Amino acid sequence: MYIETSSPRVNGDKARLRFTGSDSGAFCLKFFYHMFGKSVGTLNVYSGSKNVFTKSGSQGNKWIEAKVPISSSGRVSLF
């Protein structure tokens, strides 16, 4: 999934990627993010209603790998 943060995006825009895990135990969500520039807002990752990852503002002009443990009962949403 790719989300552009510059115009025509506006503050508060959201994108969702939903995944429903199996009942086979916990797993690891692995993804890369690139948050660079003045207009960068906040990236939140939720498992159900629990925020399991957050980054705000410019993180440098590079792709960064993130790994987040998720329980099998949680749904994952990226915002």
Side-chain angles (χ1 to χ4, degrees), residues 19-59:
F19 171 80
T20 302
S22 69
D23 293 333
S24 62
F27 63 95
C28 180
L29 172 67
K30 177 179 165 181
F31 60 96
F32 291 83
Y33 61 94
H34 186 276
M35 299 171 68
F36 178 68
K38 295 181 201 177
S39 65
V40 174
T42 301
L43 169 64
N44 290 302
V45 177
Y46 292 89
S47 178
S49 60
K50 180 181 176 187
N51 187 323
V52 294
F53 180 89
T54 188
K55 285 290 179 182
S56 295
S58 184
Q59 302 296 310

